[in-house]
Amino acid sequence: MTEKVLVIGTGAIGAFYGGVLAKAGCEVSAVARSGFDAVSANGYRIESHLGDLSWRPSQVVRSSSEYKGEPDYLLVCLKLTVETDPVALIRPALGPRTAIVLVANGIDIDAPVAAAFPDNELVAGVAYAAVSRESSGVVRHHSEYTRLVLGRYPGGPSSGAARLAELIKQGGSSAAVNEDIVGARWQKCAWNTVFNPISALGGGLGAQDILGSEDSRQFVREAIAEFAAIAAAAGHPIPGDTADKLIAGTLRMPNYVSSMGQDQLAGRPMETEALLGNVVRIAARLGVPAPRLGTLYALLKMAEKRTPA
Amino acid sequence: MTEKVLVIGTGAIGAFYGGVLAKAGCEVSAVARSGFDAVSANGYRIESHLGDLSWRPSQVVRSSSEYKGEPDYLLVCLKLTVETDPVALIRPALGPRTAIVLVANGIDIDAPVAAAFPDNELVAGVAYAAVSRESSGVVRHHSEYTRLVLGRYPGGPSSGAARLAELIKQGGSSAAVNEDIVGARWQKCAWNTVFNPISALGGGLGAQDILGSEDSRQFVREAIAEFAAIAAAAGHPIPGDTADKLIAGTLRMPNYVSSMGQDQLAGRPMETEALLGNVVRIAARLGVPAPRLGTLYALLKMAEKRTPA
């Protein structure tokens, strides 16, 4: 069979995995809003060391309601800001046998989708991929280390996740299945929840700016320790050496400004609730003290007031 | 006798109190760096509801070493940033009988001056005055409520403070003597230590932006509670209703952006150590938990990296 995939959210991640799945032989379509004309004319160009992943969508639509047919997979690759409602974007294209694949960053972000569509399989995806949108329809894939972790939400085995991981490997990239995908979300957010808000609140700080002194590294360690305590209380403990490993790994990175830092500089909405607000609320519900993360959250909410929507 | 006063730091506060003391009959001179030519030609124009406080300095000098004679008072009105060393500015003009009057915001800011000049009387000043520098040599005095609190550092009675308070009243403004002037510094910083960093980290937030939601007011309350615990441990407790009073008072203010917020927006150095770093270090020394203030401090130190010096 030829799997039908509709990609919702064709930023860098969505366009990249669309290309990987097209290379694997899937019939991949795309919802393209701002870039509709360019994508209709030229498709997506993906510049990658993996070879030619450029692809021309089977259907290019302006909204998911215009898609013709029933997709096997709805590949939803979104930044979850206050302006984005994945449920509203998913609903019009969803068929009874469609699996929803939510590739996004954050904690507690799958629950609203699961609640809205209880009869569809929901696969959560955690992407490790250094990709960037260069212009309309053009994406650059930077890094050697690229991996998509997939798993059934809220947990357990999933034929949909297993099949999709297989297709991504056929397309030349790397994928893994994790039966505790919520734990994988916590694991990834140990970086995002701490570094993204700091980057934004510092006025667009790069990773090296953030880790430039022992005092600031100590602060990052304490903030990650709060995060780890919340993750453990939520039933998804992260390894005890996470802070040290993340700091060491980040110190090897270029002075990259996180997406949230770039959003704050550009006055765009930020992933405040997905990355941080939900974590702070879980901490409050479980009675785990989180004064540092709470401070970052309070500041970010205030800073958003200055951000034109 | 005619008191001789040399004002070091003729920003808005220094120029304003120079005018008040000139009106009281003192012989007031000024160290004017950037505005030397304008001040030499025209003196200071002070626009105030108190009447004409404009004054022409007895001597205008480019640095305190050029001052001729021995001042009775060195009125030092500085923003204490990493670029400002009050000891270096004071030393050249100091005579054996000169009283130093340090009018500045911050905690633990008098100790270096006291240590450098143990034989001179040191009067600490806490200014409540809404004044702004409009242009070179021109200062506007906005508010009805204006008060300079003076006291011997580190405490106790002071003839110098008493006499200066008398002169300021003669000049038409308001002054008070406080024998626990360090306590008065803590009292004033309950606002500055919390609101200034938030304003800067939010990207130049106004007072109303900061207090715009119950969540943010709750955060401000928690941060002031940390500050109050540190003040109490340091032997200078502030009233229990300080947070509520400051929030209520601030909610009546216009959406004013704090000096630190303005400095951050303009890329100028900020009073990070005087307002916040010293408080966090006192907390650590006394074993008082201060995770919220510590977070603000860590973020501000990182944000300063992006600020051109």
mmCIF file of all heavy atoms in Angstrom, chain A residues 198 201-205 209-210 212-213 216 219-220 226 264-265 291-292 294-296 298-299 302-303 305-306, chain B residues 198 201-205 209-210 212-213 216 219-220 264-265 291-292 294-296 298-299 302-303 305-306:
data_model
loop_
_atom_site.group_PDB
_atom_site.id
_atom_site.type_symbol
_atom_site.label_atom_id
_atom_site.label_comp_id
_atom_site.label_asym_id
_atom_site.label_seq_id
_atom_site.Cartn_x
_atom_site.Cartn_y
_atom_site.Cartn_z
ATOM 1 N N ILE A 198 15.195 31.512 29.212
ATOM 2 C CA ILE A 198 16.351 32.349 29.553
ATOM 3 C C ILE A 198 16.790 33.136 28.327
ATOM 4 O O ILE A 198 17.072 34.332 28.393
ATOM 5 C CB ILE A 198 17.510 31.482 30.079
ATOM 6 C CG1 ILE A 198 17.153 30.854 31.421
ATOM 7 C CG2 ILE A 198 18.789 32.317 30.204
ATOM 8 C CD1 ILE A 198 18.199 29.860 31.925
ATOM 9 N N LEU A 201 14.304 35.952 27.779
ATOM 10 C CA LEU A 201 14.312 36.994 28.812
ATOM 11 C C LEU A 201 15.604 37.784 28.813
ATOM 12 O O LEU A 201 15.627 38.937 29.237
ATOM 13 C CB LEU A 201 14.071 36.365 30.185
ATOM 14 C CG LEU A 201 12.650 35.823 30.364
ATOM 15 C CD1 LEU A 201 12.561 34.928 31.582
ATOM 16 C CD2 LEU A 201 11.663 36.981 30.475
ATOM 17 N N GLY A 202 16.682 37.174 28.345
ATOM 18 C CA GLY A 202 17.934 37.914 28.238
ATOM 19 C C GLY A 202 17.979 38.806 27.012
ATOM 20 O O GLY A 202 18.999 39.441 26.767
ATOM 21 N N GLY A 203 16.921 38.825 26.236
ATOM 22 C CA GLY A 203 16.887 39.686 25.058
ATOM 23 C C GLY A 203 17.449 39.005 23.823
ATOM 24 O O GLY A 203 18.014 39.664 22.951
ATOM 25 N N GLY A 204 17.293 37.666 23.766
ATOM 26 C CA GLY A 204 17.799 36.934 22.605
ATOM 27 C C GLY A 204 19.211 36.424 22.818
ATOM 28 O O GLY A 204 20.082 36.587 21.980
ATOM 29 N N LEU A 205 19.420 35.761 23.954
ATOM 30 C CA LEU A 205 20.756 35.265 24.296
ATOM 31 C C LEU A 205 21.078 33.985 23.547
ATOM 32 O O LEU A 205 20.227 33.112 23.390
ATOM 33 C CB LEU A 205 20.848 34.959 25.794
ATOM 34 C CG LEU A 205 20.785 36.146 26.753
ATOM 35 C CD1 LEU A 205 20.805 35.634 28.190
ATOM 36 C CD2 LEU A 205 21.961 37.083 26.508
ATOM 37 N N ASP A 209 26.228 32.650 25.586
ATOM 38 C CA ASP A 209 25.963 33.768 26.492
ATOM 39 C C ASP A 209 25.388 33.245 27.802
ATOM 40 O O ASP A 209 25.738 33.702 28.888
ATOM 41 C CB ASP A 209 24.918 34.725 25.880
ATOM 42 C CG ASP A 209 25.361 35.337 24.565
ATOM 43 O OD1 ASP A 209 26.577 35.496 24.368
ATOM 44 O OD2 ASP A 209 24.481 35.660 23.741
ATOM 45 N N ILE A 210 24.472 32.285 27.669
ATOM 46 C CA ILE A 210 23.761 31.787 28.854
ATOM 47 C C ILE A 210 24.715 31.054 29.784
ATOM 48 O O ILE A 210 24.609 31.144 31.003
ATOM 49 C CB ILE A 210 22.596 30.864 28.414
ATOM 50 C CG1 ILE A 210 21.526 31.705 27.697
ATOM 51 C CG2 ILE A 210 22.001 30.115 29.598
ATOM 52 C CD1 ILE A 210 20.430 30.893 27.045
ATOM 53 N N GLY A 212 27.975 31.451 30.138
ATOM 54 C CA GLY A 212 29.257 32.135 30.132
ATOM 55 C C GLY A 212 29.966 32.261 31.457
ATOM 56 O O GLY A 212 31.140 32.622 31.496
ATOM 57 N N SER A 213 29.299 32.002 32.570
ATOM 58 C CA SER A 213 29.971 32.111 33.869
ATOM 59 C C SER A 213 29.566 30.934 34.745
ATOM 60 O O SER A 213 28.531 30.296 34.525
ATOM 61 C CB SER A 213 29.603 33.422 34.562
ATOM 62 O OG SER A 213 28.283 33.354 35.080
ATOM 63 N N SER A 216 26.162 31.472 36.199
ATOM 64 C CA SER A 216 25.019 31.224 35.327
ATOM 65 C C SER A 216 24.857 29.719 35.089
ATOM 66 O O SER A 216 23.736 29.220 35.017
ATOM 67 C CB SER A 216 25.145 32.002 34.023
ATOM 68 O OG SER A 216 26.232 31.543 33.256
ATOM 69 N N PHE A 219 23.010 28.473 38.009
ATOM 70 C CA PHE A 219 21.583 28.773 37.919
ATOM 71 C C PHE A 219 20.883 27.775 36.993
ATOM 72 O O PHE A 219 19.801 27.264 37.312
ATOM 73 C CB PHE A 219 21.344 30.200 37.431
ATOM 74 C CG PHE A 219 19.902 30.449 37.127
ATOM 75 C CD1 PHE A 219 18.968 30.512 38.157
ATOM 76 C CD2 PHE A 219 19.458 30.548 35.821
ATOM 77 C CE1 PHE A 219 17.622 30.686 37.884
ATOM 78 C CE2 PHE A 219 18.119 30.720 35.539
ATOM 79 C CZ PHE A 219 17.203 30.792 36.572
ATOM 80 N N VAL A 220 21.496 27.494 35.852
ATOM 81 C CA VAL A 220 20.900 26.532 34.917
ATOM 82 C C VAL A 220 20.766 25.158 35.593
ATOM 83 O O VAL A 220 19.729 24.481 35.469
ATOM 84 C CB VAL A 220 21.741 26.448 33.626
ATOM 85 C CG1 VAL A 220 21.349 25.246 32.785
ATOM 86 C CG2 VAL A 220 21.589 27.738 32.821
ATOM 87 N N GLU A 226 14.988 21.615 39.416
ATOM 88 C CA GLU A 226 13.546 21.800 39.671
ATOM 89 C C GLU A 226 12.735 21.014 38.639
ATOM 90 O O GLU A 226 11.770 20.324 38.976
ATOM 91 C CB GLU A 226 13.154 23.285 39.573
ATOM 92 C CG GLU A 226 13.548 24.117 40.767
ATOM 93 C CD GLU A 226 13.033 25.562 40.656
ATOM 94 O OE1 GLU A 226 12.279 25.883 39.709
ATOM 95 O OE2 GLU A 226 13.393 26.356 41.536
ATOM 96 N N GLN A 264 11.019 36.222 20.588
ATOM 97 C CA GLN A 264 10.901 37.413 21.441
ATOM 98 C C GLN A 264 11.520 38.623 20.735
ATOM 99 O O GLN A 264 10.942 39.703 20.726
ATOM 100 C CB GLN A 264 11.585 37.136 22.790
ATOM 101 C CG GLN A 264 11.867 38.367 23.648
ATOM 102 C CD GLN A 264 10.610 38.951 24.285
ATOM 103 O OE1 GLN A 264 9.491 38.624 23.915
ATOM 104 N NE2 GLN A 264 10.795 39.847 25.229
ATOM 105 N N LEU A 265 12.667 38.427 20.127
ATOM 106 C CA LEU A 265 13.316 39.532 19.416
ATOM 107 C C LEU A 265 12.437 40.038 18.277
ATOM 108 O O LEU A 265 12.386 41.232 17.996
ATOM 109 C CB LEU A 265 14.671 39.076 18.851
ATOM 110 C CG LEU A 265 15.821 38.964 19.843
ATOM 111 C CD1 LEU A 265 17.054 38.382 19.153
ATOM 112 C CD2 LEU A 265 16.157 40.317 20.460
ATOM 113 N N PRO A 291 10.304 27.515 42.314
ATOM 114 C CA PRO A 291 10.377 28.989 42.304
ATOM 115 C C PRO A 291 11.165 29.549 41.129
ATOM 116 O O PRO A 291 10.828 30.627 40.623
ATOM 117 C CB PRO A 291 11.047 29.322 43.637
ATOM 118 C CG PRO A 291 11.768 28.080 44.048
ATOM 119 C CD PRO A 291 10.939 26.938 43.512
ATOM 120 N N ARG A 292 12.199 28.846 40.683
ATOM 121 C CA ARG A 292 12.984 29.382 39.559
ATOM 122 C C ARG A 292 12.180 29.291 38.263
ATOM 123 O O ARG A 292 12.084 30.258 37.508
ATOM 124 C CB ARG A 292 14.312 28.624 39.446
ATOM 125 C CG ARG A 292 15.249 28.936 40.607
ATOM 126 C CD ARG A 292 16.418 27.983 40.693
ATOM 127 N NE ARG A 292 17.160 28.202 41.932
ATOM 128 C CZ ARG A 292 16.816 27.678 43.115
ATOM 129 N NH1 ARG A 292 15.751 26.882 43.209
ATOM 130 N NH2 ARG A 292 17.512 27.949 44.203
ATOM 131 N N GLY A 294 9.020 29.071 38.107
ATOM 132 C CA GLY A 294 7.884 29.973 38.296
ATOM 133 C C GLY A 294 8.265 31.414 37.986
ATOM 134 O O GLY A 294 7.465 32.171 37.422
ATOM 135 N N THR A 295 9.480 31.787 38.353
ATOM 136 C CA THR A 295 9.946 33.146 38.053
ATOM 137 C C THR A 295 10.107 33.334 36.549
ATOM 138 O O THR A 295 9.668 34.345 35.985
ATOM 139 C CB THR A 295 11.285 33.424 38.770
ATOM 140 O OG1 THR A 295 11.071 33.294 40.181
ATOM 141 C CG2 THR A 295 11.792 34.827 38.463
ATOM 142 N N LEU A 296 10.720 32.355 35.888
ATOM 143 C CA LEU A 296 10.854 32.445 34.429
ATOM 144 C C LEU A 296 9.475 32.582 33.779
ATOM 145 O O LEU A 296 9.281 33.392 32.861
ATOM 146 C CB LEU A 296 11.571 31.201 33.881
ATOM 147 C CG LEU A 296 13.026 30.992 34.287
ATOM 148 C CD1 LEU A 296 13.539 29.657 33.742
ATOM 149 C CD2 LEU A 296 13.911 32.124 33.781
ATOM 150 N N ALA A 298 6.595 33.675 35.152
ATOM 151 C CA ALA A 298 5.963 34.974 35.439
ATOM 152 C C ALA A 298 6.569 36.064 34.551
ATOM 153 O O ALA A 298 5.861 36.908 33.995
ATOM 154 C CB ALA A 298 6.134 35.326 36.919
ATOM 155 N N LEU A 299 7.884 36.043 34.408
ATOM 156 C CA LEU A 299 8.550 37.062 33.586
ATOM 157 C C LEU A 299 8.162 36.944 32.120
ATOM 158 O O LEU A 299 7.936 37.937 31.426
ATOM 159 C CB LEU A 299 10.075 36.939 33.729
ATOM 160 C CG LEU A 299 10.645 37.307 35.096
ATOM 161 C CD1 LEU A 299 12.113 36.892 35.171
ATOM 162 C CD2 LEU A 299 10.504 38.799 35.374
ATOM 163 N N MET A 302 4.791 38.329 31.462
ATOM 164 C CA MET A 302 4.820 39.792 31.434
ATOM 165 C C MET A 302 5.462 40.280 30.135
ATOM 166 O O MET A 302 4.980 41.226 29.513
ATOM 167 C CB MET A 302 5.615 40.320 32.624
ATOM 168 C CG MET A 302 4.985 40.019 33.972
ATOM 169 S SD MET A 302 5.973 40.791 35.295
ATOM 170 C CE MET A 302 5.724 39.647 36.642
ATOM 171 N N ALA A 303 6.549 39.616 29.744
ATOM 172 C CA ALA A 303 7.246 40.042 28.526
ATOM 173 C C ALA A 303 6.337 39.907 27.308
ATOM 174 O O ALA A 303 6.416 40.711 26.374
ATOM 175 C CB ALA A 303 8.522 39.220 28.325
ATOM 176 N N LYS A 305 3.384 40.618 27.054
ATOM 177 C CA LYS A 305 2.496 41.780 26.935
ATOM 178 C C LYS A 305 3.088 42.810 25.991
ATOM 179 O O LYS A 305 2.378 43.609 25.413
ATOM 180 C CB LYS A 305 2.312 42.433 28.306
ATOM 181 C CG LYS A 305 1.702 41.498 29.293
ATOM 182 C CD LYS A 305 0.495 42.148 29.934
ATOM 183 C CE LYS A 305 -0.228 41.126 30.769
ATOM 184 N NZ LYS A 305 0.082 41.272 32.157
ATOM 185 N N ARG A 306 4.410 42.841 25.915
ATOM 186 C CA ARG A 306 5.046 43.817 25.037
ATOM 187 C C ARG A 306 5.148 43.286 23.611
ATOM 188 O O ARG A 306 5.523 44.017 22.709
ATOM 189 C CB ARG A 306 6.451 44.173 25.538
ATOM 190 C CG ARG A 306 6.439 45.085 26.730
ATOM 191 C CD ARG A 306 7.784 45.741 26.924
ATOM 192 N NE ARG A 306 8.136 46.581 25.803
ATOM 193 C CZ ARG A 306 9.018 46.300 24.857
ATOM 194 N NH1 ARG A 306 9.676 45.167 24.877
ATOM 195 N NH2 ARG A 306 9.272 47.145 23.899
ATOM 196 N N ILE B 198 12.502 43.216 36.964
ATOM 197 C CA ILE B 198 11.391 42.703 36.156
ATOM 198 C C ILE B 198 11.196 43.595 34.938
ATOM 199 O O ILE B 198 11.018 43.120 33.813
ATOM 200 C CB ILE B 198 10.094 42.634 36.988
ATOM 201 C CG1 ILE B 198 10.213 41.588 38.106
ATOM 202 C CG2 ILE B 198 8.896 42.331 36.094
ATOM 203 C CD1 ILE B 198 9.018 41.580 39.057
ATOM 204 N N LEU B 201 13.972 42.850 32.460
ATOM 205 C CA LEU B 201 13.924 41.514 31.859
ATOM 206 C C LEU B 201 12.711 41.350 30.954
ATOM 207 O O LEU B 201 12.739 40.539 30.025
ATOM 208 C CB LEU B 201 13.922 40.446 32.957
ATOM 209 C CG LEU B 201 15.252 40.357 33.709
ATOM 210 C CD1 LEU B 201 15.092 39.551 34.995
ATOM 211 C CD2 LEU B 201 16.324 39.732 32.826
ATOM 212 N N GLY B 202 11.668 42.098 31.207
ATOM 213 C CA GLY B 202 10.500 42.036 30.335
ATOM 214 C C GLY B 202 10.698 42.847 29.063
ATOM 215 O O GLY B 202 9.789 42.928 28.245
ATOM 216 N N GLY B 203 11.861 43.464 28.915
ATOM 217 C CA GLY B 203 12.119 44.238 27.708
ATOM 218 C C GLY B 203 11.673 45.686 27.833
ATOM 219 O O GLY B 203 11.303 46.306 26.839
ATOM 220 N N GLY B 204 11.711 46.214 29.068
ATOM 221 C CA GLY B 204 11.295 47.607 29.270
ATOM 222 C C GLY B 204 9.831 47.716 29.630
ATOM 223 O O GLY B 204 9.082 48.500 29.056
ATOM 224 N N LEU B 205 9.415 46.922 30.624
ATOM 225 C CA LEU B 205 8.004 46.910 31.019
ATOM 226 C C LEU B 205 7.666 48.100 31.902
ATOM 227 O O LEU B 205 8.445 48.481 32.777
ATOM 228 C CB LEU B 205 7.680 45.645 31.809
ATOM 229 C CG LEU B 205 7.722 44.322 31.063
ATOM 230 C CD1 LEU B 205 7.458 43.191 32.034
ATOM 231 C CD2 LEU B 205 6.682 44.326 29.954
ATOM 232 N N ASP B 209 2.190 47.158 33.181
ATOM 233 C CA ASP B 209 2.437 45.891 32.484
ATOM 234 C C ASP B 209 2.783 44.814 33.502
ATOM 235 O O ASP B 209 2.347 43.664 33.410
ATOM 236 C CB ASP B 209 3.634 46.013 31.521
ATOM 237 C CG ASP B 209 3.431 47.055 30.435
ATOM 238 O OD1 ASP B 209 2.273 47.292 30.071
ATOM 239 O OD2 ASP B 209 4.434 47.621 29.966
ATOM 240 N N ILE B 210 3.618 45.200 34.487
ATOM 241 C CA ILE B 210 4.116 44.222 35.455
ATOM 242 C C ILE B 210 2.992 43.707 36.332
ATOM 243 O O ILE B 210 2.959 42.529 36.691
ATOM 244 C CB ILE B 210 5.240 44.856 36.302
ATOM 245 C CG1 ILE B 210 6.466 45.127 35.420
ATOM 246 C CG2 ILE B 210 5.593 43.980 37.497
ATOM 247 C CD1 ILE B 210 7.555 45.932 36.097
ATOM 248 N N GLY B 212 -0.239 43.522 35.653
ATOM 249 C CA GLY B 212 -1.451 43.395 34.847
ATOM 250 C C GLY B 212 -2.312 42.175 35.101
ATOM 251 O O GLY B 212 -3.439 42.120 34.629
ATOM 252 N N SER B 213 -1.815 41.187 35.818
ATOM 253 C CA SER B 213 -2.651 40.008 36.093
ATOM 254 C C SER B 213 -2.474 39.570 37.539
ATOM 255 O O SER B 213 -1.486 39.919 38.190
ATOM 256 C CB SER B 213 -2.268 38.852 35.156
ATOM 257 O OG SER B 213 -1.046 38.268 35.580
ATOM 258 N N SER B 216 0.750 37.725 38.014
ATOM 259 C CA SER B 216 1.970 38.529 38.096
ATOM 260 C C SER B 216 2.024 39.273 39.426
ATOM 261 O O SER B 216 3.097 39.419 40.009
ATOM 262 C CB SER B 216 2.084 39.477 36.898
ATOM 263 O OG SER B 216 1.064 40.440 36.915
ATOM 264 N N PHE B 219 3.337 36.856 41.843
ATOM 265 C CA PHE B 219 4.796 36.706 41.725
ATOM 266 C C PHE B 219 5.515 37.863 42.412
ATOM 267 O O PHE B 219 6.498 37.661 43.134
ATOM 268 C CB PHE B 219 5.222 36.624 40.254
ATOM 269 C CG PHE B 219 6.708 36.684 40.105
ATOM 270 C CD1 PHE B 219 7.498 35.635 40.537
ATOM 271 C CD2 PHE B 219 7.332 37.822 39.609
ATOM 272 C CE1 PHE B 219 8.884 35.702 40.457
ATOM 273 C CE2 PHE B 219 8.715 37.892 39.529
ATOM 274 C CZ PHE B 219 9.485 36.829 39.950
ATOM 275 N N VAL B 220 5.041 39.080 42.198
ATOM 276 C CA VAL B 220 5.667 40.246 42.842
ATOM 277 C C VAL B 220 5.585 40.104 44.366
ATOM 278 O O VAL B 220 6.555 40.374 45.078
ATOM 279 C CB VAL B 220 4.994 41.546 42.350
ATOM 280 C CG1 VAL B 220 5.387 42.734 43.220
ATOM 281 C CG2 VAL B 220 5.367 41.812 40.896
ATOM 282 N N GLN B 264 18.181 49.124 30.114
ATOM 283 C CA GLN B 264 18.291 47.895 29.333
ATOM 284 C C GLN B 264 17.891 48.154 27.876
ATOM 285 O O GLN B 264 18.563 47.722 26.945
ATOM 286 C CB GLN B 264 17.415 46.800 29.974
ATOM 287 C CG GLN B 264 17.133 45.582 29.105
ATOM 288 C CD GLN B 264 18.347 44.672 28.934
ATOM 289 O OE1 GLN B 264 19.479 45.028 29.236
ATOM 290 N NE2 GLN B 264 18.108 43.472 28.447
ATOM 291 N N LEU B 265 16.811 48.895 27.681
ATOM 292 C CA LEU B 265 16.371 49.208 26.321
ATOM 293 C C LEU B 265 17.432 49.994 25.570
ATOM 294 O O LEU B 265 17.634 49.811 24.368
ATOM 295 C CB LEU B 265 15.063 50.017 26.355
ATOM 296 C CG LEU B 265 13.794 49.239 26.681
ATOM 297 C CD1 LEU B 265 12.620 50.195 26.819
ATOM 298 C CD2 LEU B 265 13.504 48.205 25.605
ATOM 299 N N PRO B 291 15.245 32.073 45.924
ATOM 300 C CA PRO B 291 15.312 31.557 44.545
ATOM 301 C C PRO B 291 14.741 32.516 43.514
ATOM 302 O O PRO B 291 15.230 32.550 42.380
ATOM 303 C CB PRO B 291 14.498 30.254 44.614
ATOM 304 C CG PRO B 291 13.619 30.399 45.815
ATOM 305 C CD PRO B 291 14.400 31.238 46.796
ATOM 306 N N ARG B 292 13.714 33.282 43.876
ATOM 307 C CA ARG B 292 13.130 34.191 42.881
ATOM 308 C C ARG B 292 14.081 35.355 42.605
ATOM 309 O O ARG B 292 14.366 35.685 41.450
ATOM 310 C CB ARG B 292 11.763 34.694 43.354
ATOM 311 C CG ARG B 292 10.720 33.585 43.351
ATOM 312 C CD ARG B 292 9.463 33.960 44.093
ATOM 313 N NE ARG B 292 8.590 32.800 44.237
ATOM 314 C CZ ARG B 292 8.729 31.869 45.178
ATOM 315 N NH1 ARG B 292 9.695 31.965 46.089
ATOM 316 N NH2 ARG B 292 7.917 30.832 45.226
ATOM 317 N N GLY B 294 17.200 35.307 43.174
ATOM 318 C CA GLY B 294 18.379 34.708 42.549
ATOM 319 C C GLY B 294 18.180 34.494 41.059
ATOM 320 O O GLY B 294 19.109 34.663 40.260
ATOM 321 N N THR B 295 16.965 34.125 40.680
ATOM 322 C CA THR B 295 16.665 33.952 39.258
ATOM 323 C C THR B 295 16.723 35.292 38.532
ATOM 324 O O THR B 295 17.320 35.408 37.453
ATOM 325 C CB THR B 295 15.281 33.304 39.073
ATOM 326 O OG1 THR B 295 15.293 32.030 39.716
ATOM 327 C CG2 THR B 295 14.936 33.137 37.606
ATOM 328 N N LEU B 296 16.115 36.308 39.128
ATOM 329 C CA LEU B 296 16.178 37.637 38.509
ATOM 330 C C LEU B 296 17.637 38.067 38.335
ATOM 331 O O LEU B 296 18.023 38.608 37.290
ATOM 332 C CB LEU B 296 15.438 38.672 39.373
ATOM 333 C CG LEU B 296 13.923 38.503 39.529
ATOM 334 C CD1 LEU B 296 13.377 39.549 40.506
ATOM 335 C CD2 LEU B 296 13.227 38.636 38.189
ATOM 336 N N ALA B 298 20.414 36.149 38.176
ATOM 337 C CA ALA B 298 21.107 35.347 37.155
ATOM 338 C C ALA B 298 20.719 35.830 35.755
ATOM 339 O O ALA B 298 21.572 35.969 34.866
ATOM 340 C CB ALA B 298 20.764 33.866 37.332
ATOM 341 N N LEU B 299 19.437 36.095 35.554
ATOM 342 C CA LEU B 299 18.983 36.536 34.234
ATOM 343 C C LEU B 299 19.555 37.907 33.880
ATOM 344 O O LEU B 299 19.952 38.159 32.740
ATOM 345 C CB LEU B 299 17.450 36.590 34.197
ATOM 346 C CG LEU B 299 16.738 35.241 34.272
ATOM 347 C CD1 LEU B 299 15.240 35.457 34.483
ATOM 348 C CD2 LEU B 299 16.980 34.424 33.011
ATOM 349 N N MET B 302 23.100 37.697 32.817
ATOM 350 C CA MET B 302 23.206 37.194 31.442
ATOM 351 C C MET B 302 22.791 38.273 30.450
ATOM 352 O O MET B 302 23.427 38.456 29.413
ATOM 353 C CB MET B 302 22.308 35.969 31.266
ATOM 354 C CG MET B 302 22.728 34.776 32.102
ATOM 355 S SD MET B 302 21.619 33.375 31.727
ATOM 356 C CE MET B 302 21.596 32.514 33.291
ATOM 357 N N ALA B 303 21.708 38.981 30.783
ATOM 358 C CA ALA B 303 21.220 40.019 29.863
ATOM 359 C C ALA B 303 22.261 41.113 29.688
ATOM 360 O O ALA B 303 22.384 41.691 28.603
ATOM 361 C CB ALA B 303 19.913 40.615 30.391
ATOM 362 N N LYS B 305 25.277 40.818 29.330
ATOM 363 C CA LYS B 305 26.266 40.426 28.326
ATOM 364 C C LYS B 305 25.911 40.984 26.966
ATOM 365 O O LYS B 305 26.772 41.183 26.125
ATOM 366 C CB LYS B 305 26.316 38.899 28.223
ATOM 367 C CG LYS B 305 26.731 38.262 29.507
ATOM 368 C CD LYS B 305 27.905 37.346 29.296
ATOM 369 C CE LYS B 305 28.448 36.871 30.622
ATOM 370 N NZ LYS B 305 27.967 35.540 30.945
ATOM 371 N N ARG B 306 24.625 41.153 26.745
ATOM 372 C CA ARG B 306 24.210 41.682 25.442
ATOM 373 C C ARG B 306 24.248 43.203 25.413
ATOM 374 O O ARG B 306 24.070 43.802 24.371
ATOM 375 C CB ARG B 306 22.795 41.219 25.099
ATOM 376 C CG ARG B 306 22.737 39.761 24.698
ATOM 377 C CD ARG B 306 21.444 39.460 23.968
ATOM 378 N NE ARG B 306 21.330 40.223 22.749
ATOM 379 C CZ ARG B 306 20.555 41.276 22.573
ATOM 380 N NH1 ARG B 306 19.802 41.718 23.538
ATOM 381 N NH2 ARG B 306 20.524 41.892 21.422
#
